[in-house]
Amino acid sequence: MTHRRLMLPVTAALMILAAACSSDPPPAPPVEPTGPTPEEIAEQQRVADSIARAQAEREAAAREAAAREAAERERQRQIAAARETLAEMVFFDYDEAEITAQAQGVLQRKVDILRGSPAVRIQIAGHADERGSNEYNIALGNRRAQAVRDFLTGFGIAAGRMSIVSYGEDRPLVNQSNEEAWARNRRAEFTITAGANQINPGS
């Protein structure tokens, strides 16, 4: 009888243990995602591409603006050089109105600019040194200005674009009485009278 009483609790304990072992384990807690979703990755890539495109567009616009500025600076430099060429004086031998070889080179450069800049008008002023009478030097200055205009018209520049005037000995470039001064005073000077802002430096 005593033996049976001892067996009952043992049997009950074994049944409880068996029941516990035979039941399913509790479900594991859900695992939270540790990284961005594919949608988030795609959106991040879209934003990065948009930023890269905007940066590339800004850089391209900056390059284009810099190129335009450089081109405009070069154009203005060429215009200034063309004005200097148009204003460059030519000189004559004593008591002569013939165009010298050196003067021909200067005038030919003017031809190139005038051909490409049809709006430009110039005045040609003839000058003489102090030797000789005032009347003679006025006539000599006029012949020199006329010789220059004839040279330019010979290369197709319309005579109507060029006016002439003579100052004779009245406006010396060098106010001295020696050979060097006289050589500088025997000259033709040029003034742009119209179209100064319409010079085509690419002519």
Side-chain angles (χ1 to χ4, degrees):
M1 183 63 68
T2 303
H3 180 70
R4 287 186 63 187
R5 285 200 299 270
L6 291 174
M7 288 295 293
L8 286 174
V10 172
T11 303
L14 289 173
M15 290 177 65
I16 292 170
L17 181 62
C21 291
S22 64
S23 65
D24 293 331
V31 178
E32 294 293 333
T34 59
T37 65
E39 292 78 8
E40 291 171 334
I41 293 173
E43 176 62 15
Q44 291 171 359
Q45 185 62 50
R46 186 191 68 77
V47 171
D49 291 345
S50 177
I51 292 172
R53 283 195 301 272
Q55 179 65 25
E57 290 171 0
R58 286 194 296 270
E59 291 174 354
R63 287 193 298 270
E64 290 175 4
R68 286 194 300 270
E69 290 174 3
E72 179 59 20
R73 285 195 300 271
E74 176 60 17
R75 191 180 77 88
Q76 292 299 328
R77 186 197 67 76
Q78 291 179 359
I79 289 174
R83 286 181 180 145
E84 289 179 4
T85 298
L86 289 176
E88 188 175 355
M89 294 179 288
V90 294
F91 298 92
F92 295 86
D93 293 333
Y94 173 64
D95 200 26
E96 293 290 345
E98 293 182 5
I99 304 297
T100 66
Q102 184 177 14
Q104 288 180 20
V106 175
L107 294 174
Q108 187 61 63
R109 292 193 294 273
K110 297 180 193 293
V111 167
D112 295 338
I113 297 168
L114 291 170
R115 278 177 174 167
S117 309
V120 172
R121 305 287 186 272
I122 61 173
Q123 181 190 77
I124 306 165
H127 298 264
D129 64 39
E130 63 183 343
R131 293 171 294 180
S133 68
N134 187 59
E135 293 77 9
Y136 181 84
N137 287 333
I138 286 289
L140 180 57
N142 190 74
R143 291 200 305 274
R144 287 170 174 167
Q146 183 65 56
V148 169
R149 183 165 67 177
D150 290 346
F151 180 92
L152 295 175
T153 57
F155 284 90
I157 308 303
R161 296 174 60 189
M162 299 172 284
S163 62
I164 63 172
V165 64
S166 174
Y167 293 109
E169 63 187 76
D170 293 338
R171 297 187 181 185
L173 189 64
V174 181
N175 226 341
Q176 297 178 18
S177 296
N178 55 54
E179 289 294 340
E180 184 177 350
W182 294 331
R184 295 289 292 169
N185 290 335
R186 300 190 299 264
R187 70 196 189 279
E189 290 184 335
F190 302 84
T191 304
I192 299 173
T193 57
N197 295 323
Q198 296 174 272
I199 294 174
N200 178 12
S203 60

PDB file of all heavy atoms in Angstrom, residues 115-130:
ATOM      1  N   ARG A 115      37.106  97.591 -94.776  1.00  0.00           N
ATOM      2  CA  ARG A 115      36.299  96.688 -95.602  1.00  0.00           C
ATOM      3  C   ARG A 115      35.270  95.936 -94.766  1.00  0.00           C
ATOM      4  O   ARG A 115      34.129  95.725 -95.186  1.00  0.00           O
ATOM      5  CB  ARG A 115      37.214  95.690 -96.310  1.00  0.00           C
ATOM      6  CG  ARG A 115      37.868  96.220 -97.563  1.00  0.00           C
ATOM      7  CD  ARG A 115      38.808  95.175 -98.131  1.00  0.00           C
ATOM      8  NE  ARG A 115      39.354  95.576 -99.420  1.00  0.00           N
ATOM      9  CZ  ARG A 115      40.382  94.968-100.008  1.00  0.00           C
ATOM     10  NH1 ARG A 115      40.957  93.917 -99.409  1.00  0.00           N
ATOM     11  NH2 ARG A 115      40.825  95.378-101.174  1.00  0.00           N
ATOM     12  N   GLY A 116      35.684  95.498 -93.607  1.00  0.00           N
ATOM     13  CA  GLY A 116      34.778  94.727 -92.758  1.00  0.00           C
ATOM     14  C   GLY A 116      33.916  95.564 -91.847  1.00  0.00           C
ATOM     15  O   GLY A 116      33.084  95.018 -91.115  1.00  0.00           O
ATOM     16  N   SER A 117      34.078  96.889 -91.872  1.00  0.00           N
ATOM     17  CA  SER A 117      33.328  97.773 -90.977  1.00  0.00           C
ATOM     18  C   SER A 117      32.702  98.896 -91.800  1.00  0.00           C
ATOM     19  O   SER A 117      33.153 100.054 -91.739  1.00  0.00           O
ATOM     20  CB  SER A 117      34.258  98.340 -89.896  1.00  0.00           C
ATOM     21  OG  SER A 117      34.985  97.318 -89.245  1.00  0.00           O
ATOM     22  N   PRO A 118      31.678  98.590 -92.578  1.00  0.00           N
ATOM     23  CA  PRO A 118      31.136  99.579 -93.528  1.00  0.00           C
ATOM     24  C   PRO A 118      30.522 100.806 -92.864  1.00  0.00           C
ATOM     25  O   PRO A 118      30.318 101.824 -93.539  1.00  0.00           O
ATOM     26  CB  PRO A 118      30.091  98.785 -94.310  1.00  0.00           C
ATOM     27  CG  PRO A 118      29.740  97.626 -93.430  1.00  0.00           C
ATOM     28  CD  PRO A 118      30.988  97.292 -92.685  1.00  0.00           C
ATOM     29  N   ALA A 119      30.202 100.743 -91.580  1.00  0.00           N
ATOM     30  CA  ALA A 119      29.608 101.906 -90.912  1.00  0.00           C
ATOM     31  C   ALA A 119      30.655 102.929 -90.495  1.00  0.00           C
ATOM     32  O   ALA A 119      30.309 104.054 -90.124  1.00  0.00           O
ATOM     33  CB  ALA A 119      28.815 101.458 -89.682  1.00  0.00           C
ATOM     34  N   VAL A 120      31.923 102.553 -90.558  1.00  0.00           N
ATOM     35  CA  VAL A 120      32.983 103.449 -90.082  1.00  0.00           C
ATOM     36  C   VAL A 120      33.276 104.529 -91.117  1.00  0.00           C
ATOM     37  O   VAL A 120      33.411 104.253 -92.312  1.00  0.00           O
ATOM     38  CB  VAL A 120      34.262 102.644 -89.766  1.00  0.00           C
ATOM     39  CG1 VAL A 120      35.430 103.576 -89.450  1.00  0.00           C
ATOM     40  CG2 VAL A 120      34.014 101.700 -88.597  1.00  0.00           C
ATOM     41  N   ARG A 121      33.383 105.759 -90.634  1.00  0.00           N
ATOM     42  CA  ARG A 121      33.793 106.906 -91.450  1.00  0.00           C
ATOM     43  C   ARG A 121      35.029 107.516 -90.808  1.00  0.00           C
ATOM     44  O   ARG A 121      35.153 107.528 -89.577  1.00  0.00           O
ATOM     45  CB  ARG A 121      32.688 107.966 -91.523  1.00  0.00           C
ATOM     46  CG  ARG A 121      31.343 107.466 -92.020  1.00  0.00           C
ATOM     47  CD  ARG A 121      31.371 107.199 -93.510  1.00  0.00           C
ATOM     48  NE  ARG A 121      30.062 106.852 -94.032  1.00  0.00           N
ATOM     49  CZ  ARG A 121      29.572 105.620 -94.082  1.00  0.00           C
ATOM     50  NH1 ARG A 121      30.282 104.602 -93.595  1.00  0.00           N
ATOM     51  NH2 ARG A 121      28.382 105.388 -94.611  1.00  0.00           N
ATOM     52  N   ILE A 122      35.932 108.033 -91.628  1.00  0.00           N
ATOM     53  CA  ILE A 122      37.151 108.625 -91.081  1.00  0.00           C
ATOM     54  C   ILE A 122      37.413 109.987 -91.718  1.00  0.00           C
ATOM     55  O   ILE A 122      36.964 110.273 -92.827  1.00  0.00           O
ATOM     56  CB  ILE A 122      38.383 107.710 -91.282  1.00  0.00           C
ATOM     57  CG1 ILE A 122      38.639 107.468 -92.774  1.00  0.00           C
ATOM     58  CG2 ILE A 122      38.223 106.398 -90.527  1.00  0.00           C
ATOM     59  CD1 ILE A 122      39.940 106.722 -93.056  1.00  0.00           C
ATOM     60  N   GLN A 123      38.159 110.788 -90.989  1.00  0.00           N
ATOM     61  CA  GLN A 123      38.685 112.041 -91.526  1.00  0.00           C
ATOM     62  C   GLN A 123      40.193 111.900 -91.653  1.00  0.00           C
ATOM     63  O   GLN A 123      40.857 111.389 -90.745  1.00  0.00           O
ATOM     64  CB  GLN A 123      38.372 113.217 -90.596  1.00  0.00           C
ATOM     65  CG  GLN A 123      38.891 114.553 -91.125  1.00  0.00           C
ATOM     66  CD  GLN A 123      38.783 115.658 -90.093  1.00  0.00           C
ATOM     67  OE1 GLN A 123      39.574 115.744 -89.159  1.00  0.00           O
ATOM     68  NE2 GLN A 123      37.776 116.512 -90.250  1.00  0.00           N
ATOM     69  N   ILE A 124      40.719 112.336 -92.775  1.00  0.00           N
ATOM     70  CA  ILE A 124      42.164 112.307 -93.022  1.00  0.00           C
ATOM     71  C   ILE A 124      42.657 113.753 -93.003  1.00  0.00           C
ATOM     72  O   ILE A 124      42.189 114.585 -93.789  1.00  0.00           O
ATOM     73  CB  ILE A 124      42.482 111.660 -94.383  1.00  0.00           C
ATOM     74  CG1 ILE A 124      41.832 110.278 -94.487  1.00  0.00           C
ATOM     75  CG2 ILE A 124      43.998 111.560 -94.578  1.00  0.00           C
ATOM     76  CD1 ILE A 124      41.784 109.725 -95.902  1.00  0.00           C
ATOM     77  N   ALA A 125      43.575 114.035 -92.091  1.00  0.00           N
ATOM     78  CA  ALA A 125      44.104 115.395 -91.952  1.00  0.00           C
ATOM     79  C   ALA A 125      45.555 115.424 -92.415  1.00  0.00           C
ATOM     80  O   ALA A 125      46.399 114.681 -91.895  1.00  0.00           O
ATOM     81  CB  ALA A 125      44.004 115.867 -90.502  1.00  0.00           C
ATOM     82  N   GLY A 126      45.857 116.286 -93.403  1.00  0.00           N
ATOM     83  CA  GLY A 126      47.214 116.426 -93.901  1.00  0.00           C
ATOM     84  C   GLY A 126      47.968 117.524 -93.142  1.00  0.00           C
ATOM     85  O   GLY A 126      47.396 118.565 -92.800  1.00  0.00           O
ATOM     86  N   HIS A 127      49.256 117.267 -92.894  1.00  0.00           N
ATOM     87  CA  HIS A 127      50.096 118.207 -92.157  1.00  0.00           C
ATOM     88  C   HIS A 127      51.433 118.386 -92.878  1.00  0.00           C
ATOM     89  O   HIS A 127      51.875 117.493 -93.619  1.00  0.00           O
ATOM     90  CB  HIS A 127      50.359 117.708 -90.737  1.00  0.00           C
ATOM     91  CG  HIS A 127      49.115 117.576 -89.900  1.00  0.00           C
ATOM     92  ND1 HIS A 127      48.694 118.548 -89.037  1.00  0.00           N
ATOM     93  CD2 HIS A 127      48.204 116.572 -89.814  1.00  0.00           C
ATOM     94  CE1 HIS A 127      47.574 118.164 -88.437  1.00  0.00           C
ATOM     95  NE2 HIS A 127      47.260 116.954 -88.899  1.00  0.00           N
ATOM     96  N   ALA A 128      52.095 119.503 -92.587  1.00  0.00           N
ATOM     97  CA  ALA A 128      53.413 119.785 -93.162  1.00  0.00           C
ATOM     98  C   ALA A 128      54.323 120.329 -92.055  1.00  0.00           C
ATOM     99  O   ALA A 128      53.844 120.746 -90.991  1.00  0.00           O
ATOM    100  CB  ALA A 128      53.293 120.811 -94.285  1.00  0.00           C
ATOM    101  N   ASP A 129      55.607 120.314 -92.319  1.00  0.00           N
ATOM    102  CA  ASP A 129      56.509 120.956 -91.349  1.00  0.00           C
ATOM    103  C   ASP A 129      56.505 122.468 -91.580  1.00  0.00           C
ATOM    104  O   ASP A 129      55.819 122.986 -92.469  1.00  0.00           O
ATOM    105  CB  ASP A 129      57.911 120.341 -91.417  1.00  0.00           C
ATOM    106  CG  ASP A 129      58.597 120.561 -92.762  1.00  0.00           C
ATOM    107  OD1 ASP A 129      58.450 121.664 -93.338  1.00  0.00           O
ATOM    108  OD2 ASP A 129      59.292 119.645 -93.235  1.00  0.00           O
ATOM    109  N   GLU A 130      57.273 123.165 -90.795  1.00  0.00           N
ATOM    110  CA  GLU A 130      57.200 124.631 -90.789  1.00  0.00           C
ATOM    111  C   GLU A 130      57.895 125.298 -91.968  1.00  0.00           C
ATOM    112  O   GLU A 130      57.726 126.507 -92.201  1.00  0.00           O
ATOM    113  CB  GLU A 130      57.816 125.157 -89.485  1.00  0.00           C
ATOM    114  CG  GLU A 130      59.296 124.811 -89.356  1.00  0.00           C
ATOM    115  CD  GLU A 130      59.880 125.261 -88.032  1.00  0.00           C
ATOM    116  OE1 GLU A 130      59.255 126.102 -87.358  1.00  0.00           O
ATOM    117  OE2 GLU A 130      60.960 124.771 -87.675  1.00  0.00           O
TER     118      GLU A 130
END
